Amino acid sequence: MADKNYYTIDPLGKLRCMKCNVPLVKGKARFMYLDNGFPVELPVCPSCGFVYVPEELALGKVLAVEKALEDK
Amino acid sequence: MAMEERSTRIYRQQQMLSKEALTEIENLCIHEQPAYCVAACPFKLDAKQMVRAVAGGDFAKALALYEKITPFVHILSAGCEAPCEQKCKLCEAGEGIAIHELERAVARFGKSPKNKGLLRFKKRKSVAIFGSSLFSLFLAGELAKKAYPLTIYCDEPDAAAFVAAGASFLDSDGLNAEVETLQSMDITFRFGTKLTAQLFEQKKTAYDIVGASPRLLSGFWPGFEVDEATMLCKEVQVISTPVGAQGVLASLFGAKKAALTVDRLAQNLDPRSSRGDEGASETALITNMDSVAGSCRIHCEKEGYTKEDAITEAKRCIQCSCTECVKGCVYLQHYKKYPKVLTREIYNNVSIIMGDHMMNKPINSCALCGQCAVVCPNGYDMADICLMARRNMVTTDKMPLAPHEFALLDQMFSNEEAFLCKPQPGFAKSKYVFFPGCQAAAIAPDTVRAVYLDLSSRLEGGVALLLGCCGAISEWAGRYQMYDEAVAFIDARLKELGNPAVIAGCPTCKKMLSQHYDGEIVGIWDVLEEIGLPKGAQKISRPVAMHDSCGARGDAHTQQTIRKLAGKLGCELVETEFSGDTSPCCGYGGLVMYANREVAHEMAQMCVNRTDAPYITYCMACRDRFAREGRESRHILELIYGTNAGEPPDISEKRYNRLMLKNGLLHEIWGEEILEMTCEFPITFMPEALKLMDDRMILKEDVIKVMESFRETEEAIFDSESGLMITRKRIGNVTFWVKYEEQDGGYLIHSAYSHRMKIDSSQ
Ligand code: SF4
Ligand code: SF4
Ligand code: SF4
Ligand SMILES: [Zn+2]
């Protein structure tokens, strides 16, 4: 359970970091909200560490989890 | 401007109300009180439900309800004196429901499923009844239902004769039906027994409890009385009924009391103690008859109603209850709950320490408008409960910031960046201060300007201007510390002005300020009523409806003054349901539009759906919300000053309007040079982006900050699929993302979104 990733999103070679000019890769990150943390796998720049949260994810699952935590 | 997110690790607890106070509040609601007909029935027949079943043509269900009273429904329906009928609420407006005739119809047309009643274990104690009578029959029915092993001794040769001896008034159909009912019961009969005192003495020892018909009892032991409370003749320990009490109603009532006594005796308990409440009662129900038109009974032939006539008669029933608060409140309708239930659930929600707080959203979805307290016959005030709950959750750190943060930041914006407080040029002292309210400045800045120019030219003694928020937002959010700070801030500014008379532009501001400000407070409407309308006032030439602000609830003076002004303008007002003190909230009150958009939308819909006419309002938030629903609406000040705020502004424009109003007036009236706020790079928004941003509570200012940050960090990604660049910045408790393309050395914004979660990539 400890290592379960809540969301896994693959950049599929479509995303590039503009600053480092390299493709984003699937990387580990953590979402934190109201003292709770979730391991996730998101598109990340292997060079500068920029983590991308796509719109669908932000307005979908992330929002749902936020709401659930808010009512804890 | 920043607010701190709560911690979910700290569990604080505070009681919202004492248990006693909670019960006292809950008891105000009489929704669960029995209907008038139900309370009047000594057997507590649920006549309301029975009549409802008949109205729906469901005679089987109606019979099932009726049979709860006694299995002998033909006897009861033939002879009951029907005290319920006199108490029927419809008697106040025409004729009451013919409950008795409906019962007869139910007995005739209802089919009860055979073989009902599960196989039940017989009770240990045995009972015998001696002699036929109506009382004996009903008692047999009660005891059979309670599964006592029962033996009946009687002179009569068979069941038909036994029933006929008790209920000689039955017609042959009724008689046959009741004989069948009796025979379906598990009873041992000793027909044709010669009932003598000796036989009685000899047999009775074989049973634990014995009953006798009143005729036998008085024949064997003349002079012994039956106790009316227990139906027990103490001297001989025999259950019976007084000889005089032999009508159907009295006999059944006696049989029910007797059956309870049997229970008590079977358990070796005192038959007089803990009998619960028996018989008819008074109800505290209040049913509003204002909109009930009286009607007459459907004529009934001697043989009784036909099915169709019974249904028609039953349909006249108004199903008495109290629904006053629900009628005008979208919030209660939305959650389909009465205040009593809602209060209990809210109370429980607030008391839970860990786990899901299912009621957070409902707590934050009440408009705190106070309509319920006005329409409820007992003044039940849900606003009080919801506000108490919000404050409690703030105290215990259980109130999430997300539903209210935008609004709270907006209040800070009004009282910081967009704040202005200045005496009229040339006046050291201010006799008055105009306080338009944050929403007026946000929605109709031109109107605010026009009012101020007019007041400062026509009133003498100096009219200061105060642009800011009265603190209502923090009050509604339950953030009482922030409210206290806002109050202290406003009071200090007013003190600096020399505590002038406040001319409030908004009824809610007026109400809020009057809770703490010592000086005089009047409405702009009072001033205009006194000094007259300025030139250029214009009416709406079609008939218009007046929407009363919930801030003016209980303030008849304000409601009337506004109507006088509308009259002076020449407006023709149409009447609407729920006006004056019973006006519903537009959905802005209580911050519903931030916490629950769906309910806020339904609230605005309910307001505008009262009529097709355009609306005049005297609260700018109402004006705005109605316009958003696509209904023409104008603030009365717009008409008076010949201004028109036009299309409702989006959230960014609402901020921009406040800033521009402040800067414009500072320049125009006080001659101050204002540094133009300019963005260092061109930025354009696609129309869809603006729409999304308004829905998602993202300000243009937020997007500009994201792009400024990008220019510093150059952190962004390129999405080859959409061809757009995407960047982000965390501002306060929110991460904002912007999708854009570069254009003319600046940016064209395609979309923006946000989340509150933080991303930690350090792993
Ligand atoms: S108006 Fe509402 S709160 Fe008041 S008694 Fe009736 S149902 Fe209860
Ligand atoms: S109108 Fe219906 S519910 Fe009301 S008292 Fe009469 S029968 Fe009962
Ligand atoms: S929205 Fe208004 S009427 Fe409805 S429960 Fe809340 S305060 Fe009462
Ligand atoms: Zn990078």
Side-chain angles (χ1 to χ4, degrees):
Chain A
M1 184 68 195
D3 270 305
K4 178 182 176 287
N5 289 312
Y6 281 79
Y7 321 119
T8 299
I9 302 226
D10 204 308
L12 297 171
K14 289 182 297 192
L15 305 166
R16 283 188 88 73
C17 176
M18 310 244 311
K19 190 172 178 180
C20 313
N21 199 20
V22 294
L24 300 194
V25 297
K26 189 158 89 173
K28 287 197 185 306
R30 227 178 138 69
F31 271 143
M32 299 290 301
Y33 191 48
L34 301 174
D35 304 330
N36 290 273
F38 309 88
V40 290
E41 283 184 332
L42 292 176
V44 174
C45 171
S47 162
C48 70
F50 187 110
V51 182
Y52 172 51
V53 181
E55 187 164 352
E56 308 73 57
L57 182 64
L59 301 177
K61 287 184 185 164
V62 169
L63 185 65
V65 172
E66 284 175 5
K67 293 232 173 301
L69 287 176
E70 280 159 15
D71 290 343
K72 287 281 172 210
Chain B
M1 292 196 301
M3 305 199 65
E4 252 191 67
E5 212 42 284
R6 74 198 176 108
S7 165
T8 48
R9 293 228 181 88
I10 306 166
Y11 289 108
R12 269 185 286 239
Q13 226 21 36
Q14 192 198 56
Q15 229 190 1
M16 175 177 134
L17 278 169
S18 69
K19 280 256 185 284
E20 298 71 46
L22 174 70
T23 314
E24 203 174 301
I25 292 172
E26 286 177 328
N27 286 345
L28 287 176
C29 176
I30 38 100
H31 178 71
E32 286 161 11
Q33 284 282 318
Y36 306 91
C37 51
V38 178
C41 172
F43 317 118
K44 306 202 165 45
L45 167 67
D46 197 339
K48 178 177 151 187
Q49 290 306 325
M50 188 193 75
V51 173
R52 185 191 172 106
V54 173
D58 191 346
F59 285 87
K61 182 174 174 197
L63 180 62
L65 288 163
Y66 195 36
E67 279 182 330
K68 281 192 182 165
I69 306 308
T70 177
F72 298 112
V73 291
H74 293 271
I75 300 179
L76 181 60
S77 69
C80 180
E81 291 89 337
C84 53
E85 282 189 6
Q86 282 103 59
K87 289 290 175 75
C88 173
K89 188 75 177 172
L90 277 182
C91 296
E92 289 173 19
E95 286 181 333
I97 298 293
I99 303 173
H100 183 205
E101 283 302 339
L102 290 179
E103 288 170 348
R104 280 181 68 203
V106 167
R108 269 185 300 135
F109 301 130
K111 291 251 175 315
S112 53
K114 285 290 158 207
N115 279 336
K116 57 187 170 186
L118 310 163
L119 255 188
R120 278 194 296 163
F121 287 108
K122 286 276 171 194
K123 292 220 166 70
R124 294 255 187 104
K125 304 277 168 132
S126 60
V127 188
I129 300 174
F130 292 81
S132 60
S133 69
L134 204 42
F135 171 78
S136 310
L137 252 179
F138 280 135
L139 182 58
E142 295 300 313
L143 297 179
K145 202 161 45 175
K146 289 174 186 276
Y148 282 97
L150 176 63
T151 310
I152 292 180
Y153 292 87
C154 62
D155 298 318
E156 288 75 12
D158 54 26
F162 179 72
V163 174
S168 54
F169 46 82
L170 285 177
D171 59 16
S172 63
D173 287 350
L175 184 67
N176 292 339
E178 298 304 45
V179 169
E180 207 180 300
T181 302
L182 184 68
Q183 283 170 337
S184 73
M185 295 171 180
D186 191 4
I187 299 174
T188 309
F189 288 97
R190 299 277 182 259
F191 293 121
T193 309
K194 187 114 193 63
L195 294 174
T196 61
Q198 282 131 307
L199 176 111
F200 183 79
E201 285 301 335
Q202 174 197 337
K203 295 282 179 198
K204 78 171 198 193
T205 47
Y207 304 95
D208 296 300
I209 300 156
V210 287
S213 69
R215 193 169 42 83
L216 278 190
L217 187 80
S218 58
F220 295 163
W221 299 283
F224 283 178
E225 300 265 315
V226 170
D227 171 31
E228 298 239 15
T230 59
M231 297 286 137
L232 191 64
C233 176
K234 273 219 295 296
E235 291 83 351
V236 288
Q237 285 292 305
V238 170
I239 287 171
S240 188
T241 189
V243 182
Q246 279 171 21
V248 166
L249 202 132
S251 297
L252 178 54
F253 192 41
K256 287 195 175 278
K257 287 199 272 186
L260 185 61
T261 297
V262 169
D263 282 341
R264 308 288 299 162
L265 293 174
Q267 295 163 34
N268 291 322
L269 297 169
D270 176 2
R272 295 198 74 105
S273 68
S274 35
R275 296 182 63 93
D277 76 293
E278 295 170 289
S281 57
E282 290 291 324
T283 180
L285 186 67
I286 301 173
T287 296
N288 184 336
M289 297 293 282
D290 289 352
S291 55
V292 177
S295 54
C296 292
R297 282 186 179 188
I298 300 298
H299 176 73
C300 186
E301 298 295 338
K302 196 159 167 283
E303 56 280 12
Y305 279 134
T306 60
K307 261 191 180 176
E308 291 65 37
D309 283 352
I311 292 173
T312 315
E313 173 64 10
K315 281 186 173 158
R316 293 201 305 123
C317 167
I318 54 167
Q319 291 290 300
C320 292
S321 69
C322 177
T323 55
E324 292 311 292
C325 54
V326 181
K327 287 180 187 163
C329 171
V330 163
Y331 165 64
L332 295 173
Q333 289 164 15
H334 182 90
Y335 286 105
K336 299 189 178 62
K337 284 182 179 145
Y338 285 89
K340 184 175 178 177
V341 178
L342 209 47
T343 301
R344 177 57 62 133
E345 290 181 10
I346 288 174
Y347 180 85
N348 291 343
N349 184 84
V350 166
S351 318
I352 316 173
I353 299 182
M354 268 190 262
D356 290 336
H357 292 74
M358 309 295 284
M359 295 302 284
N360 282 5
K361 195 158 185 184
I363 287 169
N364 286 328
S365 302
C366 165
L368 308 180
C369 72
Q371 181 200 38
C372 47
V374 173
V375 296
C376 170
N378 291 330
Y380 208 114
D381 188 355
M382 266 323 284
D384 213 27
I385 304 292
C386 291
L387 188 56
M388 213 185 294
R390 291 183 199 182
R391 288 191 186 135
N392 181 287
M393 288 166 63
V394 167
T395 304
T396 56
D397 217 6
K398 283 187 207 143
M399 177 62 100
L401 195 48
H404 296 146
E405 188 177 24
F406 187 92
L408 293 169
L409 290 174
D410 215 48
Q411 174 175 319
M412 290 184 189
F413 174 81
S414 291
N415 285 349
E416 290 168 24
E417 277 166 88
F419 186 80
L420 177 101
C421 179
K422 286 208 168 277
Q424 187 174 345
F427 287 84
K429 279 198 163 172
S430 304
K431 188 160 177 215
Y432 308 97
V433 58
F434 177 45
F435 192 111
C438 60
Q439 292 305 299
I443 294 160
D446 293 347
T447 308
V448 173
R449 174 184 171 275
V451 179
Y452 183 63
L453 292 179
D454 181 41
L455 292 181
S456 54
S457 71
R458 287 204 286 155
L459 292 178
E460 283 175 17
V463 184
L465 178 64
L466 198 159
L467 298 178
C469 171
C470 65
I473 290 174
S474 48
E475 166 73 357
W476 287 337
R479 306 268 165 186
Y480 46 87
Q481 280 168 337
M482 192 173 162
Y483 178 64
D484 290 346
E485 284 163 22
V487 163
F489 175 72
I490 297 288
D491 278 346
R493 300 292 84 74
L494 290 171
K495 195 170 171 206
E496 283 163 14
L497 292 174
N499 286 337
V502 172
I503 302 174
C506 159
T508 299
C509 296
K510 182 181 170 212
K511 194 167 129 191
M512 288 283 161
L513 292 172
S514 59
Q515 285 168 11
H516 53 85
Y517 183 54
D518 289 336
E520 195 191 347
I521 308 173
V522 294
I524 174 73
W525 46 91
D526 295 313
V527 175
L528 290 172
E529 167 64 12
E530 200 180 311
I531 66 175
L533 300 184
K535 288 197 190 69
Q538 45 174 241
K539 63 175 175 178
I540 295 181
S541 41
R542 281 163 295 144
V544 289
M546 176 68 72
H547 175 76
D548 288 288
S549 154
C550 53
R553 201 182 306 289
D555 182 354
H557 168 76
T558 294
Q559 295 168 15
Q560 279 156 18
T561 308
I562 296 283
R563 282 170 173 74
K564 276 191 213 156
L565 289 177
K568 283 191 185 167
L569 279 169
C571 293
E572 184 195 328
L573 293 184
V574 297
E575 283 297 322
T576 65
E577 227 189 325
F578 302 113
S579 71
D581 276 350
T582 63
S583 187
C585 176
C586 66
Y588 182 77
L591 306 181
V592 192
M593 64 174 267
Y594 299 98
N596 192 333
R597 286 194 174 208
E598 191 189 344
V599 168
H601 166 68
E602 287 165 10
M603 285 176 173
Q605 276 293 319
M606 135 121 209
C607 289
V608 299
N609 286 342
R610 286 172 297 174
T611 164
D612 294 333
Y615 277 95
I616 305 185
T617 73
Y618 46 101
C619 164
M620 208 51 92
C622 304
R623 185 246 186 246
D624 184 60
R625 293 200 48 81
F626 296 170
R628 274 167 195 277
E629 297 296 325
R631 178 60 62 87
E632 183 179 349
S633 72
R634 301 287 295 277
H635 193 287
I636 193 158
L637 290 176
E638 290 176 75
L639 300 179
I640 291 174
Y641 287 94
T643 50
N644 187 346
E647 288 298 304
D650 66 27
I651 51 170
S652 297
E653 286 160 346
K654 281 186 182 171
R655 286 216 179 167
Y656 179 81
N657 286 345
R658 271 173 280 178
L659 268 189
M660 286 302 113
L661 176 67
K662 168 183 171 179
N663 290 348
L665 291 178
L666 273 178
H667 180 74
E668 178 183 352
I669 297 176
W670 287 277
E672 291 185 19
E673 272 322 307
I674 305 302
L675 289 177
E676 276 290 317
M677 292 189 322
T678 46
C679 190
E680 287 159 15
F681 47 89
I683 185 161
T684 327
F685 292 83
M686 308 265 286
E688 309 86 82
L690 289 175
K691 167 104 194 27
L692 286 180
M693 285 161 58
D694 197 44
D695 281 351
R696 296 173 182 175
M697 296 277 164
I698 298 172
L699 297 167
K700 277 184 183 169
E701 189 192 320
D702 300 323
V703 172
I704 292 172
K705 283 186 192 151
V706 174
M707 296 320 294
E708 276 167 355
S709 151
F710 164 70
R711 288 164 78 91
E712 271 172 35
T713 64
E714 290 177 12
E715 287 174 5
I717 59 155
F718 179 71
D719 179 355
S720 59
E721 203 168 23
S722 63
L724 295 176
M725 283 169 268
I726 306 165
T727 184
R728 48 88 183 101
K729 179 180 167 63
R730 181 105 184 150
I731 305 172
N733 298 314
V734 180
T735 302
F736 293 93
W737 291 82
V738 176
K739 290 186 177 174
Y740 64 98
E741 60 184 310
E742 293 189 334
Q743 198 186 54
D744 307 331
Y747 312 98
L748 174 63
I749 309 301
H750 282 253
S751 171
Y753 58 96
S754 69
H755 54 76
R756 300 181 71 87
M757 291 233 199
K758 268 193 220 163
I759 312 160
D760 176 6
S761 61
S762 62
Q763 46 164 240

